[in-house]
Amino acid sequence: DPDMPFVPSIPEDQFILVEEGDPTVIPCRTSDPSAQVTLTNSLDKAVYAFYDSKQGFVGNFPAGSYTCKTMVNGVEFKSEEFLIYILRATSQLPVEIEALKTVYKTGETIVVTCVVFDNEVVNLQWNYPGKVKEKGLIKLDDIKVPSQKLVYTLTIPEASVKDTGDYECTARHATKEVKENKKVVITVHDKGFIYLEPQFSPLEAVNLHEVKNFVVDVQ
């Protein structure tokens, strides 16, 4: 179709997510299989890569915007702009689980964090006693400086004794068969308690005018 040399692409095709180091396709396809197509970057400089009219340009491209150009009867046509985003994704999944404390009283707020390092392509699931009732609030912070890490925070407001148990996060690599899980045990008591350990006997004798110390360890 000389009036439509580039096959229209859907918006989803214009945003290309690529794992670091992986090849990708910039899908500017032509309605004429023999069309001569040039790929340019955001500086309007030509980028050299293998071209297949049924797929587009194939290669390892830096992050940025790209446009395809072709000539039809002396008239230049441009494709839509394609945006490539590079995602950090290591083959390993370094994961840590953190809890500021593991013993709570009824009514307090439980906070557990699961941190995934050096990876942006992750699916993470929580398992915890209150999951069936969807009691937990989950927040994600994507931190890139000084290094890449995903911080998933699970918050359980108004904890009860039923919230006692295993808190486990499972991270799965989005494209590779790699997973890692970490667990911490949380205990919720109905009320606070004090443990007393006196350092003296039930019956103590003291001489007249003697100074006597009575020591109690309190936990």
Side-chain angles (χ1 to χ4, degrees), residues 198-212:
Q199 303 294 322
F200 49 87
S201 304
L203 178 62
E204 291 278 348
V206 61
N207 295 322
L208 186 63
H209 304 307
E210 179 186 355
V211 176
K212 188 86 173 183

Side-chain angles (χ1 to χ4, degrees), residues 92-99 112-117 123-128 152 154 165-172 179-186:
Q92 301 299 316
L93 272 181
V95 178
E96 288 184 6
I97 194 166
E98 301 170 353
V112 182
T113 59
C114 195
V115 185
V116 181
F117 297 92
N123 295 318
L124 188 131
Q125 289 185 326
W126 285 98
N127 280 308
Y128 57 96
Y152 297 83
L154 172 66
D166 295 343
Y167 285 70
E168 184 178 50
C169 66
T170 302
R172 287 182 171 84
K179 76 172 184 176
E180 186 71 32
N181 67 301
K182 297 287 182 178
K183 181 177 72 173
V184 64
V185 180
I186 300 290

Side-chain angles (χ1 to χ4, degrees), residues 4-197:
M4 188 69 68
F6 288 108
V7 177
S9 59
I10 59 175
E12 289 83 355
D13 286 341
Q14 293 172 240
F15 296 92
I16 306 167
L17 302 178
V18 190
E19 288 185 28
E20 201 171 41
D22 284 357
T24 189
V25 176
I26 297 176
C28 53
R29 298 173 294 135
T30 53
S31 58
D32 177 6
S34 61
Q36 298 296 309
V37 183
T38 303
L39 178 66
T40 59
N41 59 20
S42 58
L43 301 176
D44 204 30
K45 290 185 177 180
V47 177
Y48 299 97
F50 172 77
Y51 183 72
D52 180 344
S53 63
K54 294 181 180 180
Q55 295 186 68
F57 284 96
V58 182
N60 290 80
F61 304 103
S65 65
Y66 295 85
T67 307
C68 301
K69 298 179 181 180
T70 190
M71 298 286 290
V72 178
N73 298 325
V75 179
E76 183 181 77
F77 286 83
K78 291 183 178 181
S79 70
E80 296 98 336
E81 184 181 42
F82 296 92
L83 298 173
I84 292 182
Y85 297 91
I86 305 295
L87 298 178
R88 174 109 188 187
T90 57
S91 57
Q92 301 299 316
L93 272 181
V95 178
E96 288 184 6
I97 194 166
E98 301 170 353
L100 292 178
K101 59 180 184 176
T102 56
V103 179
Y104 291 84
K105 292 187 299 182
T106 295
E108 290 186 327
T109 299
I110 297 173
V111 179
V112 182
T113 59
C114 195
V115 185
V116 181
F117 297 92
D118 300 325
N119 210 309
E120 294 179 280
V121 193
V122 172
N123 295 318
L124 188 131
Q125 289 185 326
W126 285 98
N127 280 308
Y128 57 96
K131 184 175 181 179
V132 175
K133 296 183 179 180
E134 297 183 347
K135 191 172 181 181
L137 306 172
I138 299 172
K139 175 188 173 187
L140 169 61
D141 291 308
D142 186 355
I143 299 172
K144 299 186 183 299
V145 178
S147 59
Q148 171 64 44
K149 62 181 179 179
L150 299 173
V151 181
Y152 297 83
T153 304
L154 172 66
T155 304
I156 311 290
E158 295 292 324
S160 70
V161 175
K162 292 181 179 179
D163 292 309
T164 294
D166 295 343
Y167 285 70
E168 184 178 50
C169 66
T170 302
R172 287 182 171 84
H173 201 291
T175 59
K176 298 180 176 66
E177 292 296 323
V178 180
K179 76 172 184 176
E180 186 71 32
N181 67 301
K182 297 287 182 178
K183 181 177 72 173
V184 64
V185 180
I186 300 290
T187 304
V188 182
H189 293 285
D190 185 37
K191 55 185 177 181
F193 59 90
I194 294 175
Y195 178 70
L196 298 175
E197 186 178 0

